[in-house]
Every structure is written in structure tokens, then in C-alpha cells.
Amino acid sequence: MRPEPRRTLPAPVVERIVRLAFPHGRVAAIEPLGDGLRNANFKLDLEAPRASLVLRIYEHDASICRKELDLIRLVAGSVPVPEVIHAEPRGFEDLPPLVLVRFVEGITFRELKLSGGTRSISEAAYSAGETLAAIGRAAFPQPGWLAAGPAVGAPLMEGADPAPRFVDSCLASANLQPRMPPDLRDRVHAMVWSCAPELARLGDEARLVHGDFGKRNLLVRSIEGRWRVAAVLDWEFAVSGSPLADLGHFLRYERASRPLAEPHFSAGYLDGGGVLPHDWRHLARLIDLTALCESLTHEQLPDSVVAELVELVRATAENRDPQLP
């Protein structure tokens, strides 16, 4: 069982961490940020100097700290990312690795989508497309998992037809099988193998892929009267591969019958220098199907999340809009 990220920290410990960056720093308030699913995040309001920071503690995998730091340094200047104030990749006292970054004002794209008007959403979606194109300008020698450096380590999956074989391994998972009906498992298996040549075309792409380019990892705000991406957060799942993986993830909940992000998102991507094949939407959705299947293999998932994931898989297999609240 994966432990929940911590929600409290002793004030003296936080003070000592802050003083690594600000020798005379004083913390006025500590607020846990609830979006962290694997790592603990705290907003720190400082009295001296007057500033707001985020303390991120890497509780799930210590190596991710160095990976994220190196990726932020790689893209800083072309992609909006939080400013790193201080880092302890080896940990501090009895805490695992941690970083202090400047707090970025804004709301998540998900919050904007729920509460904003169509103009605000279209502007932010266009900016998200531009931002994703900038991310994809970073290239690597070959596709694969990214580690500190950033450097490419092992391939995403060894051998021929990695995507269909990966989906098959997910479909065979003891966690997935009771969650997905047999007829849908059969349909997904047939679909990914019928599309194996299309997926193989993408197998040699080696661009930076954020890996979780979703609504909660994009902070947006109105800048000079126009909604833009203020920061891209959480780089722990980044890989070297096809940017279509990020496009598919971002558009996972988009409905062709009631579009919100499109065509603004893809227009921003193209205007930012990204390249899209003629069948990009189909391919992006197909790649995202592998991520949906992988999510259904996780050990602990609430029933509501399982139902949502299964509906997204079925909608992809049936080439229709997902029917979700």
C-alpha cells in the first residue's frame, strides 16, 4: 500500500529549511497543498523576506528530485516553470529530498475550465498548446525513460510493437481484469493490434514528453488581459517519446460535440512550432489509451475513478465522446 503524502510538518523543521536559502527567514504560515498524490507540497508564507514559496518533499521516489531539477533547468527560459530557490536532493535531517520553489500565482486549468467563460478557456488552451510545443523542442538521442541529467535510460518497452504489448500486459493485470468487462478487454486488444503499424510510426520519436500534461499541472492566470500558462508543474513522469502522448492526455475529456479547448489548443501548438500529422487526434487518443489501461492496473483506485477510466477506455474503443458528468 502506498502511504499518503504527509499533511503536516513541524514549524521548527520548516524554519530550518527556509534558512538554508534565507539565513534570516521567518515563516508566518504553513499550508498543505492538497493536489499532491505521491509527494507532499506545502505553501510557505514568509515574513522576512516577504515572499511565498512552495516546499516539495519527494516521499515516493528520492531520485525524482534530481530528475525534476534537471528538467526544470533544461526548459527554463522557454517554458514557464517555478523558480527554484533551494534544493536538497540528498534529503535534509530526517526528511527525504526536497526543493523550495517560488510560489506561482494562478489557478489550475481544470479550475478555469469549471468556472471560466469560453473566451478565458480558449485563450488558456491556446497558450497550453504553445507551451507544449516549447516542451517538445527538447530532443534526446533515443526514446525511453528519463533520469537525472536529464538522460535517457531504459527503453519504454523492449522489442517490437511495444505499445500493443504494453496494453496486453495491462489487460492481463490482476488489478485491471475485475474492473474492465471481458468484452471491452477483447475490443481494446483487437484495436491496439489493428493499429500497431500506426503506433510503430511514432516509436522512434524522442522529444521531451511531460507525461502528465493535464488540467491540474497547468497553472494559468490573466496576464495583460489574456489568459496564459503561468507554470507547468510536476515533471516526475517525463519521458523521451512522442509529443502526441501529451496532446492525448490534455484532450482526454474533450468532447467533439461540445468542444472547449479545441481548436485553440492545437492552433497554439502549431503556431508554437509543433508538427501534427493529418490523423493526429486519432493517434493521440490511441496513445492515451495505453495510459488509461496502465492507470487501471494501480492497486488502489476509488470506484468512481475506476468507472471514469473504464468509460474513457470504452469511448476510445467506440470512437465517441466520453459520457461523463
Side-chain angles (χ1 to χ4, degrees), residues 108-191:
T108 66
F109 188 89
R110 181 179 183 275
E111 291 170 313
L112 179 67
K113 188 177 175 184
L114 291 173
S115 61
T118 54
R119 179 178 174 180
S120 302
I121 294 169
S122 63
E123 290 175 352
Y126 181 90
S127 179
E130 286 184 309
T131 301
L132 186 56
I135 291 172
R137 284 198 286 272
F140 298 93
Q142 66 273 337
W145 300 102
L146 288 179
V152 180
L156 298 176
M157 192 168 186
E158 297 276 7
D161 295 316
R165 289 191 299 108
F166 177 76
V167 170
D168 276 354
S169 70
C170 294
L171 296 176
S173 161
N175 289 329
L176 179 145
Q177 291 205 349
R179 295 167 172 166
M180 187 185 294
D183 69 303
L184 183 55
R185 296 202 304 269
D186 292 344
R187 188 163 189 166
V188 169
H189 165 81
M191 180 182 185

Side-chain angles (χ1 to χ4, degrees), residues 160-325:
D161 295 316
R165 289 191 299 108
F166 177 76
V167 170
D168 276 354
S169 70
C170 294
L171 296 176
S173 161
N175 289 329
L176 179 145
Q177 291 205 349
R179 295 167 172 166
M180 187 185 294
D183 69 303
L184 183 55
R185 296 202 304 269
D186 292 344
R187 188 163 189 166
V188 169
H189 165 81
M191 180 182 185
V192 294
W193 279 102
S194 68
C195 295
E198 298 168 85
L199 290 166
R201 288 185 355 229
L202 308 173
D204 293 329
E205 289 195 66
R207 299 280 174 181
L208 177 58
V209 175
H210 180 272
D212 196 10
F213 198 75
K215 312 302 189 296
R216 68 183 180 86
N217 287 330
L218 296 180
L219 290 183
V220 298
R221 70 169 181 261
S222 182
I223 302 173
E224 298 179 350
R226 187 175 181 85
W227 281 86
R228 302 178 187 274
V229 174
V232 182
L233 310 176
D234 294 0
W235 293 80
E236 63 180 296
F237 298 111
V239 299
S240 170
S242 170
L244 288 176
D246 280 340
L247 275 98
H249 189 112
F250 184 84
L251 294 173
R252 179 177 287 178
Y253 298 92
E254 185 80 352
R255 299 180 183 183
S257 59
R258 275 194 321 182
L260 283 174
E262 276 297 290
H264 319 287
F265 175 61
S266 57
Y269 184 76
L270 291 170
D271 290 347
V275 177
L276 293 174
H278 74 279
D279 55 348
W280 70 269
R281 191 70 184 272
H282 162 68
L283 291 172
R285 206 172 183 192
L286 196 59
I287 294 175
D288 192 50
L289 178 63
T290 66
L292 294 171
C293 290
E294 192 277 333
S295 294
L296 283 163
T297 68
H298 294 181
E299 209 165 291
Q300 289 187 317
L301 288 176
D303 291 343
S304 59
V305 172
V306 170
E308 180 177 308
L309 291 169
V310 169
E311 167 57 17
L312 288 166
V313 169
R314 190 176 289 280
T316 302
E318 295 175 359
N319 192 28
R320 59 168 174 81
D321 285 347
Q323 302 301 313
L324 297 168

Side-chain angles (χ1 to χ4, degrees), residues 87-109:
E88 292 287 338
R90 295 180 181 175
F92 175 74
E93 295 185 357
D94 61 340
L95 291 176
L98 57 89
V99 296
L100 275 174
V101 300
R102 189 84 59 187
F103 178 79
V104 178
E105 293 288 347
I107 61 174
T108 66
F109 188 89

